[in-house]
Amino acid sequence: MWATACHPKFSFSAPLMLSLVPDHKRPGPMEPPMDAVVPTSSSMQSPGYACRNVASSSSLQARTHVNYDVKGDVAVVRFNSPDSKVNTLSKQLQSEFTEVMNEIWANEAVKSAVLISAKQGCFIAGADINMIESCKTTQEVTQLSQEGQKMFEKLEKSPKPIVAAISGSCLGGGLEVAISCQYRVATKDKKTVLGTPEVLLGLLPGAGGTQRLPKLVGLPAAFDMMLTGKNIRADRAKRMGLVDQLVDPLGPGTKSPEERTIEYLEEVAIGFARGLANKTVSHKREKGLVQKLTDYALAIPFVRQQIYKTVEKRVQKQTKGLYPAPLKIIEVVKTGLEQGSEAGYLSESQKFGELAMTAESKALTGLYHGQVQCKKNKFGAPKQEVKTLAVLGAGLMGAGIAQVSVDKGLTTILKDTTLEGLGKGQQQVFKGLNDKVKKKNLTSFERDTILSNMTGQLDYKGFDKADMVIEAVFEDLSIKHKVLKEVEAVVPPHCIFASNTSALPISQIAAASKRPEKVIGMHYFSPVDKMQLLEIITTDKTSQDTAASAVAVGLKQGKIIIVVKDGPGFYTTRCLGPMLAEVVRVLQEGFDPRKVDALSTGFGFPVGAATLIDEVGVDVAAHVAEDLGKAFGQRFGGGNVELLKRMVEKGFLGRKSGKGFYVYQQGVKNRSVNSSMDEILAQFKVPSRPEVCTDEDIQLRLVTRFVNEAAMCLQEGILSNPVEGDMGAVFGLGFPPCLGGPFRYADSLGAKQLVDKLRKYEAVYGNQFTPCQLLLDHANDASKKFHH
Amino acid sequence: MTSMLSRAIRSLPATSTWAVRFSARSFSCSPLSHAAVQPKSKKTLAKNGVKNIVVVDGVRIPFLQSGTSYADLMPHDLARASLQGLLNRTNVPKEVVDYIVYGTVIQEVKTSNVAREAALGAGFSDKTPAHTVTMACISSNQAMTTGVGLIASGQCDVVVAGGVELMSDVPIRHSRKMRKTLLSLNRAKTLGQRLALFAKIRPDYFAPELPAVAEFSTSETMGHSADRLAAAFAISRVEQDEYALRSHTLARKAQDEGLLTDVVPFKVPGKDMVIKDNGVRPSSMEQMGKLKAAFVKPYGTVTAANSSFLTDGASAVLIMSEEKALAMGYKPKAYLRDFVYVSQDPKDQLLLGPTYGTPKVLERAGLTLADIDVFEFHEAFAGQILANLKAMDSDWFAQNYMGRKSKVGAPPLEKFNKWGGSLSLGHPFGATGCRLVMTAAHRLKKEGGQYGVVAACAAGGQGHAMIVELYPQ
């Protein structure tokens, strides 16, 4: 079980660290510095010191982040970061927390304590990212880590039992607080998640987490948590031993359910705190047989060594050595277990400091900030909320869009032209939801209730109530025009028409519309329920309100949204075009698809470039390449489109037809190269150019064309900012997350280096590699950066 | 901590009671107490053009804890005994009965229309049709109101309604996989086919399926939901134990004073005559306090002692149009007046039926809470009753969840379940409704009241409330 997925699953479905929050107020100049109030451990127990502390703190400063009151003999400590939906372990919060705990430890009348959040839906969401980002050196970050370690060690060794009452997100540093306590009580609802998402930011749990987690949940589970960064729901946390007790969420009483639930959580936690203090409750949990056996096995050094080795091998395989954090996590855990906790804590803080300074961590943190930015509606609230959504076309995309809409509470109509197509689409939606039932994310009743909001039909019945129609019909302009006209004849005037096309310019589709201001592009990525990106395309005529509505719907569907201007291929398809053209050229030059795949995944792409063509569909790739070729001319050349067309003729459409560059067979994991391709490849073979054919050159030929095109999109105003460019590339196209996106990559590599490479390839291949003006500007002025 | 908290909470109502007593004493110079002189909003609930429907009389066999004297019987045996008891009590000629309706929850598959099987064996005419209804704990309420409907619409004049439950024996099924295999076996023609099917059977096929007292929609057991409900309304363990103790104490008192006249003795074949309910056990707070939480472990507040227990029993009432009853020379016990069924969120408000039903039925009848002399509410759990009382007394709840401007108010305890309730007398799911109606009628007569409200919650998040009006003496 521990050996499951150790890879920070960025790829296409990066479960990014939604819960750590950056837009948090940093301590202002008026607030006291932290070191002023951290006492030494010897003075902690001294009543005199504490009295002074109480007196000074209550009279001189009002606490804004942490407060407490005493109920009987139990102190209830409440976290409440001001002006924020979540609590973060900022310097201010930490210092107030230290103060409060010192008072509690010194107060003879208090026998135990409960830590709880005053906010609904968040215990502590993690450390303050800005606090880490603002550090300039490894030493600074290491020191932050050590301060946290010290504080949490005091919690762990507290003579008065401390119970963490967890409701909502308990992540990163928040989890480290919780596992330092003697006991944990958590509400059993969907909002309550525990986890160590640091790895997703290229970091490691830096406040004792790497040392305490293995002791609490066992080595395998601890590795699983720390290496994947996944969120763990309360019920699973209970089974793992991560929390000791669960509290069911309550319904309405004489207060709102949320308010009363957190009160109840507090009451229950107080009960356990008191029980721990008077020894009627034991914090030792009973271990099952499996747990006992595992513990027994792990006591054997040889077994532990094997585990380290296996986990390391897995991480190496999955990260290709591109992500330093997972390896450091293994190292730190190992140090703690093999050389004692002192060495472990030291190693943890040092590696934490080192990781924070890596380019990978900065790239991943950048993506995190980008994600927050792309989860906002910059157009404001739409005039009319979309409540009823109609989707045209029940194919893979249409059904996917219907699924992510209906399960968010939108009344959804799924329309197709044939009963067979409709049936398939409905089955896809059912399956999508039923998979959630199997994973216990939904109950079968919730699934049925959700599905009752979706109607499948062949006609336009009920479209008079539709607030938005998203078409996902065949990619053919005349068909799009036909459905647009049909739709406009039946929908109300306010209804928005959105096209889910990957390449057809929206303005051309809108040309057939009576109300082009209501026409917009919503480019989803397949599979819709897994891919996080939504590319929204506005034309010159699209109204602001239409854009606001589209973004609002996308956000409701849980998407990361970039909004781009209309043009051939918009942003994402346009960037992908030149790269795929280069892939075809590389293949024509005689490189094996496996080699191309290995080079691209070795660079950090989650899916190999040849495989990507198979996944997208060879026909689609050919179609798009031809269209973009027409629009952009020679610059989009390189590989010969005829090669793809020949594949289509032969029926090698990629995964969907079972054959492409590879042969796909049900149940066969290690697919083989399609040997029938040899003939086609031979036919289109071109001589390779040894001066630009090293492994690195091939990687860079693919990537530089991508980056150059992305920069051109920014230059032409297709993209409104580099952040969206990075987000689109990473979340829509699988651009290596460790590089943070094309713009962050250009910054970190240096525009100068990038231009030099492009010039080198330009000398061989011509204008396909001519750097765009924006890149040249950046290359000429080292102070110019896309990200600041 | 629970006791600390509860003490704090308990001290509030305690002081207010004192305050009331004190003020009552200070006004003792006034000649009559307020309650006695307060005029009713309405003299009667008779409506023009609507038939008056009366309950002539009703009986029940003693309610027993499951697994005791009725353990070897079948559900229709209990129903039969209640029907025979009704025949004996009322002497109604069997050919006069137009229709029989019974309520039941967990059905014995062999007698799925238990009403018919019981009627056939109870000496009713085989020309009297019978059907069975189910609506969880308000099944016999549904049986009675079905009868009311049949009479009101002129289809019938005389209906027997009742309910039955036998928790000593419930259908336990083979697993779905096993059932599928066994059913395929029926269709298998050759020995080879049969053997092939047998070969498919795996050990897990033998795991039986037990009927659960759990919501199908939420998979939550009712006790668990009750514990959450009690917590939502901040009702302490001590309050719940106190209420349960009250129920048992009052039931014992009613038993001792011979007030439970709806009980008819039942001679169980091969066993002694059963003459009274056997679940009434007044205990002490100390004893009850020792019990561990039964559902939300380890810190919950609902225990075996403050929950209703699994019960076997059956009940029956004779319902007629008023004119028919008078024509036959009966002196009816009560009118069955307005009634409502309500339903709400089966997860978080599973057991709040009375809260939703009571104000609605009062409004329908044009009465206020003060007009009601007798409240008979089904006690599923002490916590559930106390939660309902709190909910009915909360403006916040009324406004935010019931779409009402203000609360209806909580029924005063001195009018509430005075002769015990489901907690102490027992709760055969399908049979409780008739007991509530008969107890309300008997109490109205004994206590000199006019209007009673009967209310109950039921699985599925449903509820029922009905006005019972004393038949003029």
Side-chain angles (χ1 to χ4, degrees):
Chain A
M1 128 240 194
W2 47 273
T4 47
C6 301
H7 176 45
K9 285 183 269 175
F10 266 103
S11 70
F12 279 75
S13 57
L16 220 59
M17 39 285 157
L18 289 161
S19 7
L20 298 173
V21 161
D23 56 341
H24 162 78
K25 267 180 71 181
R26 304 244 298 272
M30 294 300 288
E31 290 154 335
M34 180 170 176
D35 50 354
V37 287
V38 178
T40 64
S41 54
S42 61
S43 66
M44 225 167 64
Q45 302 296 327
S46 144
Y49 178 88
C51 283
R52 269 204 315 278
N53 202 342
V54 172
S56 67
S57 64
S58 56
S59 60
L60 293 179
Q61 41 179 288
R63 295 195 190 101
T64 51
H65 290 61
V66 185
N67 259 301
Y68 79 103
D69 46 359
V70 178
K71 300 200 166 173
D73 54 1
V74 183
V76 179
V77 181
R78 288 173 223 283
F79 300 111
N80 195 2
S81 299
D83 308 319
S84 169
K85 278 189 193 159
V86 297
N87 296 318
T88 42
L89 285 176
S90 58
K91 284 198 171 174
Q92 176 75 8
L93 186 141
Q94 290 184 46
S95 86
E96 289 187 14
F97 181 40
T98 307
E99 259 177 58
V100 162
M101 286 316 296
N102 285 330
E103 287 178 23
I104 289 168
W105 280 318
N107 186 343
E108 302 248 317
V110 172
K111 303 281 180 247
S112 58
V114 166
L115 309 184
I116 195 166
S117 165
K119 294 182 196 298
Q120 288 159 7
C122 177
F123 177 68
I124 296 175
D128 180 357
I129 294 183
N130 295 330
M131 176 176 79
I132 297 167
E133 277 184 307
S134 64
C135 293
K136 296 275 179 288
T137 64
T138 307
Q139 287 71 28
E140 269 182 80
V141 185
T142 298
Q143 203 198 331
L144 275 183
S145 162
Q146 285 169 345
E147 281 160 9
Q149 287 178 346
K150 259 184 231 157
M151 176 62 202
F152 297 169
E153 191 187 358
K154 281 189 222 158
L155 291 183
E156 187 179 39
K157 300 204 167 128
S158 167
K160 301 178 180 181
I162 305 173
V163 177
I166 303 161
S167 179
S169 44
C170 174
L171 300 171
L175 184 79
E176 291 177 302
V177 170
I179 62 175
S180 306
C181 296
Q182 280 70 42
Y183 208 74
R184 284 152 295 279
V185 183
T187 50
K188 187 183 165 187
D189 59 11
K190 283 181 185 164
K191 277 187 192 160
T192 300
V193 288
L194 299 94
T196 47
E198 288 88 346
V199 72
L200 301 174
L201 295 175
L203 300 169
L204 55 75
T210 62
Q211 308 300 303
R212 285 192 189 94
L213 257 190
K215 285 182 193 140
L216 190 66
V217 298
L219 188 58
F223 271 141
D224 188 34
M225 280 180 73
M226 289 190 283
L227 296 175
T228 61
K230 67 183 170 197
N231 283 344
I232 292 170
R233 280 201 312 252
D235 46 353
R236 173 127 192 277
K238 170 83 166 47
R239 286 199 299 276
M240 289 169 66
L242 193 55
V243 302
D244 300 284
Q245 294 291 344
L246 295 180
V247 167
D248 278 285
L250 301 179
T254 51
K255 286 176 184 167
S256 76
E258 297 76 24
E259 201 183 336
R260 177 62 196 145
T261 299
I262 203 145
E263 250 180 40
Y264 179 52
L265 171 69
E266 184 181 314
E267 289 166 17
V268 172
I270 289 176
F272 282 110
R274 206 163 270 149
L276 286 164
N278 65 23
K279 307 253 186 306
T280 53
V281 172
S282 163
H283 67 267
K284 289 213 174 68
R285 97 194 128 94
E286 290 195 7
K287 289 178 175 174
L289 182 65
V290 178
Q291 181 78 50
K292 279 183 190 156
L293 286 175
T294 320
D295 288 356
Y296 176 76
L298 289 174
I300 308 166
F302 174 74
V303 174
R304 289 200 303 272
Q305 293 304 332
Q306 290 307 308
I307 289 179
Y308 301 138
K309 259 194 220 159
T310 320
V311 174
E312 232 168 60
K313 224 162 90 189
R314 236 161 224 277
V315 167
Q316 276 294 1
K317 194 177 162 208
Q318 293 190 336
T319 64
K320 319 260 181 217
L322 295 168
Y323 296 83
L327 294 171
K328 299 271 188 207
I329 289 172
I330 299 171
E331 191 186 329
V332 170
V333 170
K334 192 172 164 182
T335 307
L337 284 179
E338 306 304 323
Q339 296 167 36
S341 53
E342 201 169 320
Y345 283 113
L346 183 65
S347 169
E348 179 186 88
S349 63
Q350 285 171 346
K351 298 290 182 269
F352 185 70
E354 288 167 22
L355 282 174
M357 293 298 134
T358 57
E360 290 81 2
S361 175
K362 293 195 156 114
L364 294 171
T365 310
L367 287 179
Y368 166 62
H369 288 306
Q371 195 179 41
V372 173
Q373 186 177 325
C374 293
K375 289 265 183 190
K376 287 182 182 150
N377 193 343
K378 59 181 171 187
F379 300 98
K383 272 185 220 138
Q384 191 162 353
E385 192 194 343
V386 173
K387 289 186 176 144
T388 302
L389 175 76
V391 181
L392 300 181
L396 211 58
M397 295 303 286
I401 297 167
Q403 185 193 325
V404 299
S405 308
V406 74
D407 72 358
K408 308 299 183 312
L410 288 168
T411 304
T412 307
I413 298 172
L414 182 61
K415 181 195 173 305
D416 202 277
T417 49
T418 68
L419 211 49
E420 196 197 351
L422 181 63
K424 266 190 183 166
Q426 285 177 310
Q427 176 58 29
Q428 184 187 326
V429 177
F430 175 83
K431 188 176 178 293
L433 293 175
N434 200 41
D435 286 349
K436 289 191 181 177
V437 174
K438 285 183 187 159
K439 285 184 197 151
K440 300 205 171 149
N441 287 333
L442 279 184
T443 67
S444 58
F445 250 76
E446 285 167 332
R447 175 199 66 203
D448 297 347
T449 314
I450 289 169
L451 280 174
S452 71
N453 277 325
M454 188 180 90
T455 48
Q457 59 192 52
L458 300 175
D459 55 14
Y460 283 102
K461 185 170 157 272
F463 273 58
D464 54 334
K465 299 267 184 340
D467 302 306
M468 177 183 277
V469 175
I470 301 177
E471 68 78 14
V473 301
F474 192 69
E475 290 272 66
D476 178 293
L477 195 59
S478 60
I479 296 178
K480 303 252 181 205
H481 281 167
K482 182 172 161 272
V483 297
L484 172 63
K485 283 178 189 156
E486 283 174 8
V487 165
E488 285 191 347
V490 289
V491 295
H494 74 272
C495 180
I496 291 163
F497 184 90
S499 177
N500 171 56
T501 171
S502 54
L504 292 175
I506 304 302
S507 50
Q508 285 183 27
I509 294 172
S513 170
K514 282 184 283 184
R515 40 186 191 207
E517 75 280 2
K518 294 283 181 197
V519 180
I520 196 164
M522 290 173 86
H523 178 199
Y524 291 87
F525 294 76
S526 182
V528 180
D529 59 331
K530 300 270 170 9
M531 295 288 286
Q532 294 190 79
L533 190 72
L534 168 63
E535 182 180 31
I536 288 178
I537 305 108
T538 58
T539 70
D540 297 341
K541 292 182 179 158
T542 308
S543 73
Q544 289 280 306
D545 188 53
T546 300
S549 257
V551 174
V553 167
L555 289 176
K556 194 164 212 178
Q557 291 167 333
K559 298 294 173 195
I560 294 170
I561 293 170
I562 64 171
V563 182
V564 304
K565 288 250 161 57
D566 193 23
F570 324 128
Y571 166 65
T572 51
T573 310
R574 180 168 162 185
C575 286
L576 197 59
M579 188 173 100
L580 291 187
E582 199 59 30
V583 171
V584 173
R585 169 150 60 198
V586 172
L587 290 166
Q588 281 179 273
E589 286 178 354
F591 289 91
D592 181 38
R594 276 192 199 285
K595 173 79 177 168
V596 176
D597 275 356
L599 288 175
S600 37
T601 52
F603 197 74
F605 282 94
V607 175
T611 306
L612 185 63
I613 296 178
D614 274 1
E615 293 287 342
V616 170
V618 178
D619 51 339
V620 176
H623 198 65
V624 169
E626 208 168 20
D627 278 2
L628 291 181
K630 274 181 206 154
F632 295 104
Q634 180 57 33
R635 217 164 52 71
F636 269 54
N640 192 340
V641 185
E642 293 304 319
L643 185 150
L644 296 176
K645 284 186 170 173
R646 180 63 54 84
M647 286 176 75
V648 175
E649 278 168 26
K650 285 254 185 184
F652 301 154
L653 303 182
R655 180 183 281 279
K656 59 187 167 190
S657 72
K659 275 185 183 175
F661 289 106
Y662 296 94
V663 180
Y664 299 89
Q665 281 169 302
Q666 201 93 47
V668 177
K669 213 179 167 201
N670 288 328
R671 50 176 195 246
S672 55
V673 173
N674 181 2
S675 54
S676 320
M677 279 300 296
D678 292 350
E679 189 195 328
I680 301 177
L681 286 171
Q683 193 183 343
F684 288 94
K685 188 155 170 61
V686 296
S688 70
R689 310 287 292 263
E691 66 270 37
V692 287
C693 277
T694 64
D695 284 359
E696 196 204 349
D697 277 326
I698 289 173
Q699 286 173 331
L700 286 175
R701 274 164 61 191
L702 305 185
V703 175
T704 52
R705 281 190 77 176
F706 189 121
V707 176
N708 192 31
E709 201 60 38
M712 205 174 277
C713 287
L714 184 61
Q715 178 184 310
E716 290 175 8
I718 296 279
L719 275 176
S720 60
N721 58 61
V723 173
E724 288 186 313
D726 282 347
M727 298 305 286
V730 172
F731 289 96
L733 306 172
F735 192 91
C738 54
L739 302 178
F743 294 100
R744 176 138 341 239
Y745 175 61
D747 280 352
S748 62
L749 182 72
K752 177 85 173 54
Q753 276 71 12
L754 200 60
V755 166
D756 287 348
K757 290 288 177 194
L758 281 161
R759 291 286 189 214
K760 173 180 165 190
Y761 306 133
E762 185 188 21
V764 178
Y765 294 113
N767 72 344
Q768 288 133 18
F769 285 95
T770 306
C772 69
Q773 190 55 47
L774 187 61
L775 273 185
L776 289 174
D777 292 348
H778 276 241
N780 290 335
D781 180 354
S783 70
K784 278 195 173 169
K785 295 269 180 197
F786 292 109
H787 293 283
H788 298 284
Chain B
M1 133 252 172
T2 9
S3 66
M4 277 285 294
L5 269 171
S6 60
R7 233 169 278 152
I9 293 163
R10 275 167 61 216
S11 67
L12 285 173
T15 45
S16 57
T17 331
W18 275 111
V20 171
R21 275 186 213 155
F22 181 74
S23 61
R25 211 174 300 148
S26 67
F27 286 111
S28 58
C29 49
S30 56
L32 283 166
S33 84
H34 288 285
V37 289
Q38 192 168 29
K40 300 282 181 201
S41 310
K42 280 184 165 182
K43 287 229 169 78
T44 175
L45 295 178
K47 286 179 194 162
N48 271 340
V50 178
K51 267 190 199 173
N52 282 329
I53 293 162
V54 296
V55 50
V56 172
D57 211 337
V59 300
R60 62 183 178 92
I61 58 170
F63 288 176
L64 301 190
Q65 300 181 53
S66 65
T68 59
S69 296
Y70 302 154
D72 298 330
L73 300 178
M74 284 181 69
H76 73 282
D77 293 325
L78 306 195
R80 200 157 45 83
S82 63
L83 283 170
Q84 277 172 337
L86 189 71
L87 281 181
N88 284 341
R89 174 74 57 93
T90 61
N91 287 317
V92 64
K94 61 183 180 182
E95 61 280 0
V96 174
V97 177
D98 297 317
Y99 207 92
I100 297 170
V101 195
Y102 253 71
T104 195
V105 178
I106 297 186
Q107 278 174 309
E108 161 62 50
V109 285
K110 286 182 192 159
T111 58
S112 57
N113 187 2
V114 68
R116 178 64 175 164
E117 313 305 340
L120 284 174
F124 280 84
S125 161
D126 60 6
K127 300 285 188 294
T128 305
H131 82 267
T132 302
V133 294
T134 188
M135 201 172 179
C137 305
I138 50 178
S139 294
S140 63
N141 309 60
Q142 184 54 258
M144 287 185 290
T145 56
T146 301
V148 168
L150 287 170
I151 297 169
S153 64
Q155 304 298 313
C156 300
D157 280 323
V158 179
V159 175
V160 169
V164 60
E165 206 68 45
L166 183 73
M167 292 305 289
S168 294
D169 181 37
V170 293
I172 296 172
R173 299 199 293 181
H174 268 304
S175 66
R176 179 94 192 225
K177 288 176 192 166
M178 186 61 133
R179 300 202 306 266
K180 199 175 167 190
T181 310
L182 293 176
L183 290 170
S184 313
L185 212 54
N186 278 340
R187 287 190 296 272
K189 293 200 176 66
T190 66
L191 182 67
Q193 285 174 340
R194 286 194 198 112
L195 287 176
L197 280 168
F198 274 120
K200 272 199 210 157
I201 295 174
R202 297 282 170 276
D204 67 315
Y205 280 38
F206 290 97
E209 253 177 39
L210 290 140
V213 188
E215 283 298 299
F216 184 67
S217 61
T218 61
S219 308
E220 188 181 24
T221 62
M222 196 178 269
H224 196 278
S225 191
D227 204 311
R228 287 198 303 115
L229 185 71
F233 283 93
I235 291 156
S236 70
R237 166 76 182 269
V238 171
E239 284 175 287
Q240 294 178 47
D241 285 355
E242 279 174 349
Y243 184 84
L245 186 58
R246 171 192 190 267
S247 181
H248 280 279
T249 311
L250 291 176
R252 172 56 54 81
K253 190 161 167 272
Q255 260 183 351
D256 292 348
E257 291 174 9
L259 298 173
L260 306 177
T261 53
D262 55 339
V263 178
V264 292
F266 179 19
K267 172 69 182 77
V268 179
K271 290 192 175 148
D272 287 341
M273 177 83 86
V274 180
I275 51 165
K276 64 174 188 177
D277 308 319
N278 72 358
V280 185
R281 297 152 299 166
S283 172
S284 67
M285 288 298 287
E286 290 69 41
Q287 289 267 298
M288 294 170 90
K290 281 183 195 157
L291 287 181
K292 284 186 176 159
F295 301 98
V296 177
K297 293 166 188 168
Y299 56 85
T301 53
V302 172
T303 68
N306 60 36
S307 315
S308 56
F309 47 89
L310 294 180
T311 311
D312 303 335
S315 56
V317 294
L318 179 61
I319 305 173
M320 294 188 190
S321 64
E322 185 181 20
E323 44 183 322
K324 180 77 177 176
L326 295 178
M328 290 182 71
Y330 282 115
K331 174 127 185 62
K333 296 227 155 148
Y335 291 110
L336 296 182
R337 297 300 194 186
D338 297 271
F339 63 84
V340 295
Y341 286 94
V342 292
S343 60
Q344 62 283 337
D345 170 19
K347 180 157 179 49
D348 289 334
Q349 302 181 45
L350 182 70
L351 305 171
L352 287 180
T355 299
Y356 283 84
T358 306
K360 233 174 143 178
V361 80
L362 287 174
E363 257 161 36
R364 258 189 89 84
L367 297 176
T368 67
L369 200 73
D371 291 325
I372 306 301
D373 305 297
V374 161
F375 293 89
E376 277 298 323
F377 279 32
H378 160 52
E379 299 168 343
F381 301 88
Q384 165 259 335
I385 284 290
L386 295 171
N388 272 285
L389 296 184
K390 273 203 176 176
M392 291 168 80
D393 207 24
S394 162
D395 278 325
W396 187 88
F397 190 84
Q399 286 154 5
N400 289 283
Y401 284 88
M402 296 169 67
R404 304 178 58 84
K405 287 205 186 85
S406 61
K407 65 185 182 182
V408 61
L413 276 183
E414 55 272 21
K415 294 180 180 177
F416 193 85
N417 291 11
K418 288 286 289 280
W419 295 355
S422 300
L423 285 171
S424 45
L425 299 171
H427 171 41
F429 302 145
T432 290
C434 295
R435 178 187 67 75
L436 293 174
V437 165
M438 289 321 297
T439 310
H442 289 150
R443 275 185 58 204
L444 283 170
K445 187 171 176 196
K446 172 91 179 160
E447 294 165 15
Q450 187 184 358
Y451 298 126
V453 167
V454 163
C457 58
Q462 312 210 77
H464 173 244
M466 179 155 67
I467 308 273
V468 176
E469 182 183 349
L470 182 72
Y471 198 81
Q473 301 298 305

